[in-house]
């Protein structure tokens, strides 16, 4: 048996790449170190009887094109959408809910600021226009500014023209806001802290920066890409858990002849001359293939699996310089019942994201701690109770609650995560006591995943869930490293297909999709 | 019949004067109007205390474009730029990092902390040299508007693209990094020594309301690296007689070219008739007529104070309203009875002729910023200190000294209280901080002047006391400075031009905005001298 | 501010000319006497003692040391036996020279590299992911070069533990001088019989004294950089930043040189050993050679004398080496430039190292050398010759 392609890692991007390669007739083998598929977009039985989305909570950014082309719905993928986008808990037992229905959001905001309520529909429209300028570029291979072929440059002309189609004013605006901070952008529109705090939470994902940092406006836009129908961020959940997405992708890949082997940990990418010829597993077995596609993050692929000596010192410096700086922890709770949430009537508002981010200043202060190597004394929380829309994920009457916590920097200055893990859990629960006091007494099980856990258990360098920060200098032809933004590596036959490549992190499938196209092109 | 000038320039800051001089050089009959009793704007030397002279607001002249010095023959009008040779960064533990023109000595001093860094330092310097050269092109051109398809914008963009693609790959990558990264992150790619990164990152925060870890500060670092004297980049200088001597030299050159400079003549507003500027009205009621009017004031003054907003498109009014000033720095000017003694290098020495940078660690700078972020002046501020009398003995009586402390952060908007209330407390903080490194400082202070951003606004007229007439952040540079679509020195009012630091390429005692805008005016008037700006 | 080397107390006492130069931040003697002639002839006639401590020295050790060194340098260190020394260059990924120097294999897993300038960061970065460590030992080792026909006899009378008659060219051995441990390598920068001695700085002065004492009957003389410069040009040994510009200092691409362009093509293994930094680029360059090459040229001395005679001057270029770049012409246009030139006192010829177009670089090729005599420029006939210009048997014997 002779393999065309080995895909390392069954993260969603690896599976997308595998499915497209297999569909094109290649003989593909996917090797996954863990026993579950999906990487950081998996559903796991963290507690007996519960199915928990261990990493990514939703699939709102996932490219619809991939769903269609790989017929994922026929393979069991069902997206469930909440009417709510976000429920922002406030001090004093109040809450502000933003809905996918813009008019409903406007009414809700009016209780906080009539002026902001007035502007909100325009803002949603504006962000939609801005995000659409971005959207067209995610399935394109970044051009090489020096020797891009005419065909590729033409591909980039289309989004550029779309930019033109925006009208001169929008276009200027797009160029103006890309390097701006979320705080400035939101400050241009709104006055109310509760609203700005709620909107700002997605701007600080993907990089260890506060909302006042230049570039956070871009990240706000990035997350708006998945929110065409109103809400400022995705609340498209996967029935049965995120793992179902991975399973549907795996089914598509298998149907086209791919083999997917879990529990198969790759130790080394094998190279002969300057060409990748296969992989060696931790067991010592060697598998030959014409090419190797890695969904593992760039540094771990190039320095860990390939080995720095296979690269030149100049590229090694660049790989060493990739900023990962994981700063997200996730606290998973199993609850013996649904806690009542102060300020909220009914369950509808809390069926999507529930955030504790009362203002951009609170968010900025949370970041300040992280700058000096401490986790936030008052972190920003982004919680989802998946069992509300999908009760089958827990035993009857029970619930899960998953809180994404920022900032929890990988590099702690005083003591390591193994020592500080408990203190962070206490801090989070202490904050929850203020906002949702009913949570703590209902906890049956809890599990905290720190950046160190992301690194150790999920293989993410420095616990960076985006495989490298989404900073402006780590995008396009600068992602993962300057000069190697086209899914290839200096070793012929070795490709990258994970979130470390264009367009970046989040459950989009786009890197895997693009990488498969580039492999086939070669 | 009243005299009708060819051009009236509002504000005799260095850019206004440069602008006027270039217009006059092309044969225009030019009047410059200055609100204060002396020319220079923020580029002034004043004898604050008998015998002690100060560059009250600014202090170094690294960025002054050499071609302006040459073309206006400024040395003949009294400009002498003396080199600032070194930077000393004292540390709280009594150690210090001392960098000067002696390559090997600097190498060894850095190598005490890290040999790798000593080696990287030279390579870093060379990389920034290339970057400065790449960006220097931008300093010499009027920014094209990328959203328009007029031939001159297209050819401008084409020239820009050709220039950028002419860079080597690694240069282009470094340029993208510099344009977007934080100074601290950029320096992290090069160095491991905290104090070295800190003192280098300090030039990335000067004049901004950003910390060394804020993205965008790497560009400011480069902006300051472009200081060029005699063809050498990163050569900072000190104008003999203070920065006012530079303004006086430009004024001298302008007068010789026929420019009339009137001080104590505050302008109330620009007279606009049928969408066209026809002159200015002074605060005393006089109306002066001119074919064109140029404002060297910052964008807020230029558009929102001197004009009635109704003559401007809404989008411009909104954009100028959003333009960030956020003054973040102050100055403390001291008269000293003797030279200060540094704990790390006691006694006299060449280090006193250079800059003394209070930037012991990146965290130190970042914490200084944290304070300001929430509306307080820094409890332990960043400072760039020079002792001009060490370089130019005429600045102070024999044996005595003047010391200039540029201090950051001093946010224009305080969370509590006013700057009038907090001014002296701020001054005390500065002196206390400095005394940690200069043990004899308190004993030798004869006089002290504290300049806060509020004072800068009150006295010089810079909105919110921003020394660059608006922050040098990515969204306020090049074709976005001061507002998208209005970055070519022209305004929606015909015959009304902008020529201050609030336009491309921005602040610092550079003169480039004044000169590039003069080129734009002359081109519109179809005068010779309106040829394309040279690089 | 220049630093003293570990020999400074001795060199400064002897430096009657008070002529010093900055060598990597250290004070180095240009010439001990008013002129360097005696010092030069010590190299060719007796023995010259040079303080070469400012050379940078690095030790690379660990299980992957050989792998790392083979990654860095263009030559193959795996063929270098313990006790052997290689002269080599190293390049960046574009195959342009960073520096040149010697590689000593001290143990199977321990190498010492000497270089003109700082290389720690580069060596360490080349070794990323390898089990090898690079240390800068520059200040831990003082170094002397004893160069000249009598150098072996001097050392024989002084060093114990080293069989100097058996110590071959480009080999090294450990021994002692009195109680002082020294490493003796048969290497140098003069093209003559000579040795370099490596010693701990604490023993530096004692070693100097012992050598000066032992050398008294053998015509030993302390010698400075002027003498060294003439000797190394005669030996056609190139100098960084003079005969080529390092990638670490070149401000523009065209100033950089590949080993092929700097006359060090021979250090790049025939057949193209892969695995060293720049190998790919150099393999490509071997296939389509660069326009430039390094050549030794000899300028017609009678023609020089004639030009000076015409204005009643003696030939003022005699005596010292020059590092001024001098244009060279061929077929009526400029075809390159001489980078180092000197009147060779021993050969009585005017010779130079030059970067010229490859077509002109073959021995026998006739070109013109620009010479300014009394403010007027002239072209003097010159021809490309084999190098080294001076290559005595004793160097290798």
């Amino acid at each position: 048996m002779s393999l065309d392609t080995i895909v390392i890692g069954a993260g969603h991007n690896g599976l997308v790449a595998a499915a497209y390669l297999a569909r094109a007739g290649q003989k593909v083998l996917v090797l996954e170190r863990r026993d579950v598929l999906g990487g950081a977009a998996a559903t796991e039985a963290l507690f007996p009887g519960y199915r928990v989305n261990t990493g990514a909570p939703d699939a709102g950014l996932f490219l619809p094109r991939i769903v269609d082309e790989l017929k994922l719905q026929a393979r069991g993928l069902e997206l469930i959408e909440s009417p709510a986008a976000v429920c922002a808990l406030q001090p004093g037992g109040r809450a502000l809910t933003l809905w996918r229905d813009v008019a409903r959001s406007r009414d809700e905001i009016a209780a906080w600021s009539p002026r902001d309520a007035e502007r909100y529909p325009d803002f949603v429209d504006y962000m939609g226009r801005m995000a659409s300028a971005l959207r067209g570029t995610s399935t394109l291979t970044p051009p090489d500014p020096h020797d891009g072929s005419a065909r590729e440059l033409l591909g980039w002309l289309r989004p550029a023209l779309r930019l033109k189609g925006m009208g001169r004013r929008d276009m200027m605006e797009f160029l103006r806001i890309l390097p701006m901070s979320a705080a400035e952008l939101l400050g241009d529109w709104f006055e109310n802290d509760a609203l700005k705090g709620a909107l700002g939470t997605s701007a600080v994902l993907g990089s260890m920066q506060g909302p006042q940092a230049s570039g956070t406006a871009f990240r706000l836009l990035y997350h708006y890409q998945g929110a065409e129908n109103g809400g400022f961020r995705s609340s498209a959940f996967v029935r049965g858990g995120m793992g179902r997405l991975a399973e549907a992708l795996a089914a598509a890949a298998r149907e086209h002849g791919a083999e997917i082997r879990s529990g198969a940990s790759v130790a080394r990418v094998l190279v002969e001359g300057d060409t990748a010829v296969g992989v060696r597993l931790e067991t010592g077995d060697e598998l030959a293939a014409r090419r190797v596609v890695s969904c593992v993050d760039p540094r771990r692929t190039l320095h860990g699996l390939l080995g720095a000596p296979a690269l030149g010192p100049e590229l090694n410096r660049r790989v060493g310089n990739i900023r990962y700086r994981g700063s997200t922890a996730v606290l998973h709770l199993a609850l013996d019942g649904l806690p009542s949430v102060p300020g909220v009537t009914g369950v509808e508002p809390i069926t999507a994201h529930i955030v504790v981010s009362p203002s951009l200043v609170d968010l900025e202060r949370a970041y300040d701690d992280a700058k000096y190597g401490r986790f936030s004394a008052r972190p920003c929380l982004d919680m989802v109770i998946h069992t509300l829309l999908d009760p089958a994920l827990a035993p009857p009457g029970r619930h899960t609650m998953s809180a994404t916590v920022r900032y929890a920097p990988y590099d702690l200055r005083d003591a390591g995560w193994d020592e500080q893990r408990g203190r962070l859990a206490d801090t989070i629960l202490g904050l929850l006591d203020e906002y949702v006091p009913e949570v703590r007494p209902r906890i049956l099980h809890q599990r905290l995943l720190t950046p160190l856990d992301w690194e150790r258990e999920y293989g993410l360098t420095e616990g960076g869930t985006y495989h490298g920060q989404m900073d402006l200098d780590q995008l396009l032809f600068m992602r993962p490293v300057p000069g190697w933004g086209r899914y290839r590596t200096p070793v012929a036959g070795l490709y990258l297909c994970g979130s470390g490549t264009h367009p970046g992190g989040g459950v989009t499938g786009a890197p895997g999709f693009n990488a498969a196209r580039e492999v086939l092109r070669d | 019949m009243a005299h009708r000038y060819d051009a009236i320039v509002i504000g005799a800051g260095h850019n206004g004067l440069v602008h006027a001089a270039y217009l006059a050089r092309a044969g225009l009959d030019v009047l410059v109007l200055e609100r204060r009793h002396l020319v220079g704007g923020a580029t002034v030397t004043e004898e604050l205390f008998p015998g002690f002279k100060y560059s009250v607001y600014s202090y170094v002249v690294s960025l002054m474009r050499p071609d302006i010095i040459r073309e206006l023959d400024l040395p003949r009008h009294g400009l002498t730029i003396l080199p600032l040779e070194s930077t000393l960064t004292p540390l709280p533990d009594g150690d210090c990092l001392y960098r000067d023109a002696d390559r090997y000595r600097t190498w060894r001093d850095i190598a005490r902390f890290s040999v790798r860094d000593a080696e990287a330092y030279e390579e870093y310097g060379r990389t920034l040299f290339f970057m400065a050269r790449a960006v220097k092109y931008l300093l010499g051109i009027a920014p094209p508007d990328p959203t328009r398809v007029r031939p001159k914008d297209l050819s401008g963009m084409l020239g820009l693209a050709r220039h950028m693609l002419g860079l080597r790959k690694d240069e282009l990558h470094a340029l993208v990094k510099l344009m977007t990264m934080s100074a601290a992150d950029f320096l992290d790619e090069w160095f491991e020594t905290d104090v070295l990164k800190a003192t280098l990152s300090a030039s990335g925060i000067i004049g901004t309301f950003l910390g060394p870890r804020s993205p965008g500060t790497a560009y400011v670092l480069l902006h300051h690296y472009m200081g060029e004297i005699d063809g050498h980049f990163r050569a900072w200088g000190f104008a003999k007689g203070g920065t006012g001597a530079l303004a006086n030299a430009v004024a001298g050159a302008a007068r010789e070219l026929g420019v009339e400079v009137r001080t104590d003549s505050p302008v109330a507003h620009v007279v606009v008739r049928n969408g066209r500027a026809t002159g200015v009205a002074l605060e005393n009621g006089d109306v002066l007529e001119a074919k064109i009017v140029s404002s060297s004031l910052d964008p807020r003054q230029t558009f929102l104070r001197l004009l009635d907003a109704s003559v401007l498109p809404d989008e411009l009014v909104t954009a100028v309203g959003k333009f960030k000033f956020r003054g973040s720095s102050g100055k403390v000017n001291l008269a000293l009875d003797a030279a200060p003694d540094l704990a790390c290098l006691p006694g006299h020495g060449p280090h006193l002729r250079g800059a003394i940078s209070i930037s012991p660690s990146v965290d130190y700078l970042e914490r200084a910023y944290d304070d300001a972020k929430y509306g307080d002046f820094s409890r332990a501020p960043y400072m760039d200190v020079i002792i001009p009398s060490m370089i130019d003995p005429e600045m102070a009586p024999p044996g005595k000294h003047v010391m200039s402390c540029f201090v950051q952060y001093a946010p224009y908007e305080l969370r509590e209280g006013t700057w009038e209330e907090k001014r002296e407390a701020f001054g005390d903080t500065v002196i206390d901080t400095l005394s940690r490194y200069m043990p004899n400082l308190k004993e030798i202070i004869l006089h002290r002047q504290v300049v806060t951003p509020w004072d800068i606004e009150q006295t010089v007229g810079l909105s919110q006391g921003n020394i660059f007439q608006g922050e040098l952040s990515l969204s306020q540079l090049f074709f976005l400075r001061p507002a998208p679509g209005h970055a070519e020195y022209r305004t929606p009012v015909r015959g009304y031009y902008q020529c201050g630091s609030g336009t491309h390429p921005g602040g610092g005692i550079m003169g480039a905005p004044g000169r590039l805008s003069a080129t734009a005016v002359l081109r519109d008037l179809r005068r010779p001298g309106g040829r394309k700006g040279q690089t | 501010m220049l630093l003293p080397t570990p020999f400074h107390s001795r060199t400064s006492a002897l430096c009657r000319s008070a002529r010093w130069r900055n060598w990597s931040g250290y004070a180095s003697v240009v010439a001990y006497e008013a002129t360097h002639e005696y010092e030069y002839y010590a190299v060719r006639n007796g023995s010259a003692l040079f303080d070469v401590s400012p050379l940078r020295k690095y030790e690379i050790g660990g299980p992957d040391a050989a792998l790392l060194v083979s990654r860095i340098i263009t030559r193959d260190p795996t063929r270098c036996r313990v006790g052997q020394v290689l002269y080599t260059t190293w390049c960046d990924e574009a195959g342009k020279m960073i520096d040149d120097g010697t590689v000593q294999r001290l143990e199977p897993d321990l190498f010492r590299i000497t270089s003109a300038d700082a290389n720690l960061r580069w060596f360490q970065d080349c070794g990323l992911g390898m089990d090898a460590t690079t240390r800068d030992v520059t200040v831990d080792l003082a170094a002397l070069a004893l160069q000249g026909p009598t150098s072996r006899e001097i050392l024989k009378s002084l060093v114990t533990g080293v069989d100097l008659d058996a110590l071959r060219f480009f080999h090294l051995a450990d021994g002692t001088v009195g109680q002082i441990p020294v490493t003796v390598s048969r290497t140098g920068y003069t093209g003559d019989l000579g040795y370099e001695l490596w010693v701990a700085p604490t023993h530096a002065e004692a070693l100097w004294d012992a050598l000066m004492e032992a050398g008294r009957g053998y015509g030993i003389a302390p010698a400075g950089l002027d003498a060294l410069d003439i000797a190394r040009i005669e030996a056609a040994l190139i100098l960084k930043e003079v005969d080529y510009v390092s990638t670490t200092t070149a401000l523009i691409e065209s100033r950089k040189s590949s080993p092929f362009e700097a006359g060090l093509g021979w250090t790049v293994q025939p057949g193209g050993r892969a695995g060293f930094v720049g190998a790919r680029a150099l393999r490509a360059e071997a296939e389509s050679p660069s326009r430039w090459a390094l050549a030794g040229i000899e300028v017609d001395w009678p023609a020089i004398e004639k030009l000076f005679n015409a204005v009643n001057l003696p030939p003022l270029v005699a005596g010292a080496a020059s590092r001024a770049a001098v244009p060279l012409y061929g077929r009526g246009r400029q075809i390159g430039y001489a980078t180092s030139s000197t009147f060779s006192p021993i050969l009585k010829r005017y010779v130079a190292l030059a970067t010229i177009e490859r077509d002109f670089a073959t021995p026998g090729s006739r070109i013109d050398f620009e010479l300014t005599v009394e403010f007027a420029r002239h072209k003097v006939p010159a021809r490309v010759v084999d190098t080294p210009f001076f290559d005595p048997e004793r160097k290798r014997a």
Side-chain angles (χ1 to χ4, degrees), chain B residues 300-318:
Chain B
R300 186 179 291 180
Q301 313 274 340
T302 298
F303 291 109
L304 305 186
R305 185 171 75 76
L306 295 178
L307 291 180
D308 186 318
S310 66
V311 303
L312 297 173
D314 290 347
E315 62 167 60
L316 178 58
V317 175
T318 315

Side-chain angles (χ1 to χ4, degrees), chain A residues 118-202:
Chain A
E118 213 49 48
R119 310 186 96 181
Y120 188 74
D122 287 343
F123 175 75
V124 172
D125 183 48
Y126 164 90
M127 289 300 278
R129 292 198 314 273
M130 295 293 138
S132 79
L134 208 56
R135 198 174 297 125
T137 65
S138 64
T139 53
L140 299 174
T141 297
D144 182 320
H146 278 88
D147 36 45
S149 72
R151 201 173 85 192
E152 268 161 23
L153 291 176
L154 280 178
W156 279 84
L157 204 59
R158 204 162 6 117
L161 286 177
R162 179 175 309 144
L163 216 56
K164 276 270 182 223
M166 291 167 82
R168 187 163 167 261
R169 198 182 292 190
D170 271 359
M171 186 174 159
M172 267 292 188
E173 188 61 15
F174 182 73
L175 294 174
R176 187 180 79 93
I177 66 173
L178 278 186
M180 269 173 62
S181 76
E184 284 162 351
L185 179 64
L186 295 173
D188 278 354
W189 284 89
F190 304 119
E191 60 184 14
N192 180 259
D193 282 342
L195 178 60
K196 288 193 282 186
L199 294 173
T201 48
S202 59

Side-chain angles (χ1 to χ4, degrees), chain B residues 190-274:
Chain B
W190 288 92
F191 306 111
E192 55 194 17
T193 304
D194 193 31
V195 55
L196 180 63
K197 287 189 275 191
T199 194
L200 291 173
S201 73
S203 49
I205 58 172
I206 289 178
T208 72
F209 199 85
L210 296 168
R213 294 205 172 91
S214 307
T217 46
Y219 175 76
V220 184
L221 186 144
L222 180 66
H223 188 87
H224 285 105
Y225 211 93
M226 281 183 288
E228 182 183 355
I229 289 174
D230 305 339
H232 295 284
F233 287 108
R234 190 55 176 90
W236 285 31
F238 171 82
K240 183 166 174 61
T243 56
L246 182 136
N248 289 334
V250 182
R255 285 198 186 96
E256 191 175 270
L257 291 162
V259 173
E260 180 187 344
V261 181
R262 254 189 242 175
T263 53
D264 292 309
S265 306
V267 173
H269 61 91
V270 173
V271 180
V272 180
R273 257 187 234 122
N274 301 325

Side-chain angles (χ1 to χ4, degrees), chain B residues 102 108 116 119 126 130, chain C residues 1 120-121 124 248 251:
Chain B
D102 180 342
R108 289 194 299 265
R116 279 180 66 88
E119 295 182 10
R126 216 167 34 255
F130 285 120
Chain C
M1 195 180 69
L120 182 73
R121 185 164 172 256
Q124 286 181 338
T248 62
L251 287 177

Side-chain angles (χ1 to χ4, degrees), chain B residues 31-88:
Chain B
L31 169 69
V32 180
L33 295 170
E34 168 58 39
R35 188 171 56 91
R36 296 189 71 203
H37 63 280
L38 77 178
V39 300
T43 315
V44 290
T45 304
E46 293 180 64
E47 188 168 328
L48 295 176
F49 315 106
F52 293 90
K53 295 177 197 153
Y54 296 86
S55 302
V56 182
Y57 309 100
S58 44
Y59 61 110
V60 284
V61 292
S62 61
L63 296 167
M64 190 69 192
R65 305 302 305 147
D67 35 8
I68 298 177
I69 298 180
R70 210 162 39 237
E71 287 169 8
L72 298 181
D73 207 0
L74 298 184
R76 191 163 58 79
H77 295 281
L79 179 67
T80 302
I81 297 180
L82 306 163
L84 265 178
E85 300 162 78
S86 62
T87 302
L88 176 76

